[in-house]
Amino acid sequence: MVRVNTPSPARRQALRTGAGLAAAAALTGTGAACSATGPSATTAAAASPPTGTTRPPTGTPAPTAAPAAPRAYPALPAQITHGPRTRPRVALTFHGQGDPALAEALLRTAEQAGARVTVLAVGDWLDAHPALARRILDGGHDLGNHTQRHLAVNALSEADAAAEIEECARRLRRLTGSIGTWFRPSRAPTASPLVVRLACRAGYPHVLSYDVDSLDHTDPGADAVTRTVLDEVRPGSVVSLHLGHPDTVAALPALLTGLDHRGLHAVTTTELLSR
């Protein structure tokens, strides 16, 4: 006969308390990186991105050997808002959508200054401009997932939210061989617990949020974009910016100069979090 050990009342209470704390951590974005399962997650875990070093400025970046895949940072929360505050690095992250000519101009400006950025691409933008996926990677930048159609993903049903994440991941894999290094929810600074879980299931151990909002999507003028970022940026900051806005392209040279004067260097999010 198999003996079944029934938890004592005290043990049952402890288990309930632990579950409550885990749920609270998910709600506040402070929980540990998810432990994903399934084909996408297995593939992501098998390939970790190179720590890399910033490439020298060049007008014709060399092609990357292989695209990076998502990796888990066990010491970091499921939703990441910033990197280490002890190193002089920041991540400029761009919601990937809009006029491809503006995207090209911004990437070229960053590369000429020796900066690297992170682009979270919208899937239907990649459908319309598929060459931009490799262009971003070949410039030494991070490329990630910003959902397929840029809907308010936190407000969608579970099935629809999953489709938004997974369809964009499929576009990225088809174009580059990887689902991308990061996932960021669309139309929200942070993901709901459901969207965190769905992103994890799709192969993204973390959701990438930010601690500095440039407000460039309001088109306030290049000077205002620069001032907003430089007033709030700190070592380790993740800055939210957007492709497809002329003010952002115009602001980038002064923004990079301002960061340099503060002793801060713009790197990819992968570099920001790498030891």
Side-chain angles (χ1 to χ4, degrees):
M1 182 177 69
V2 177
R3 180 181 297 275
V4 178
N5 293 322
T6 303
S8 67
R11 175 63 175 161
R12 287 197 298 271
Q13 181 59 42
L15 291 171
R16 285 194 295 268
T17 300
L21 289 173
L27 288 167
T28 59
T30 58
C34 72
S35 187
T37 57
S40 296
T42 302
T43 302
S48 60
T51 55
T53 55
T54 301
R55 299 180 183 184
T58 173
T60 55
T64 52
R71 61 173 288 189
Y73 297 83
L76 296 182
Q79 299 206 57
I80 296 172
T81 58
H82 63 82
R85 298 298 192 187
T86 55
R87 289 183 289 180
R89 300 175 179 176
V90 299
L92 304 181
T93 66
F94 292 83
H95 303 239
Q97 202 174 26
D99 184 348
L102 290 175
E104 173 60 40
L106 189 143
L107 294 171
R108 189 167 55 247
T109 298
E111 290 155 11
Q112 289 170 349
R116 297 294 177 259
V117 303
T118 299
V119 176
L120 292 312
V122 176
D124 60 11
W125 183 66
L126 293 176
D127 288 341
H129 311 290
L132 279 172
R134 286 304 325 182
R135 168 64 185 89
I136 291 163
L137 292 174
D138 288 349
H141 311 288
D142 273 357
L143 178 64
N145 179 331
H146 196 39
T147 73
Q148 178 61 23
R149 293 176 294 164
H150 203 255
L151 304 177
V153 67
N154 286 343
L156 299 178
S157 69
E158 180 171 351
D160 288 344
E164 282 292 305
I165 299 167
E166 293 167 7
E167 285 177 24
C168 186
R170 282 193 290 271
R171 300 305 191 278
L172 288 164
R173 188 185 296 281
R174 186 178 71 241
L175 292 170
T176 71
S178 166
I179 64 172
T181 46
W182 301 98
F183 167 75
R184 172 172 286 168
S186 47
R187 299 189 181 275
T190 57
S192 68
L194 171 62
V195 170
V196 170
R197 178 167 60 82
L198 295 174
C200 179
R201 190 177 75 186
Y204 301 96
H206 301 276
V207 171
L208 182 61
S209 184
Y210 47 86
D211 65 328
V212 177
D213 189 349
S214 69
L215 301 176
D216 63 337
H217 62 281
T218 65
D219 298 317
D223 290 345
V225 172
T226 302
R227 187 167 55 251
T228 297
V229 174
L230 294 180
D231 283 350
E232 298 182 19
V233 73
R234 302 165 52 194
S237 282
V238 176
V239 183
S240 171
L241 295 143
H242 293 73
L243 299 182
H245 289 261
D247 289 347
T248 307
V249 178
L252 190 60
L255 175 54
L256 292 173
T257 298
L259 292 174
D260 185 61
H261 288 165
R262 288 161 170 76
L264 300 173
H265 189 62
V267 299
T268 66
T269 304
T270 300
E271 291 174 306
L272 181 75
L273 300 174
S274 298
R275 294 186 180 277

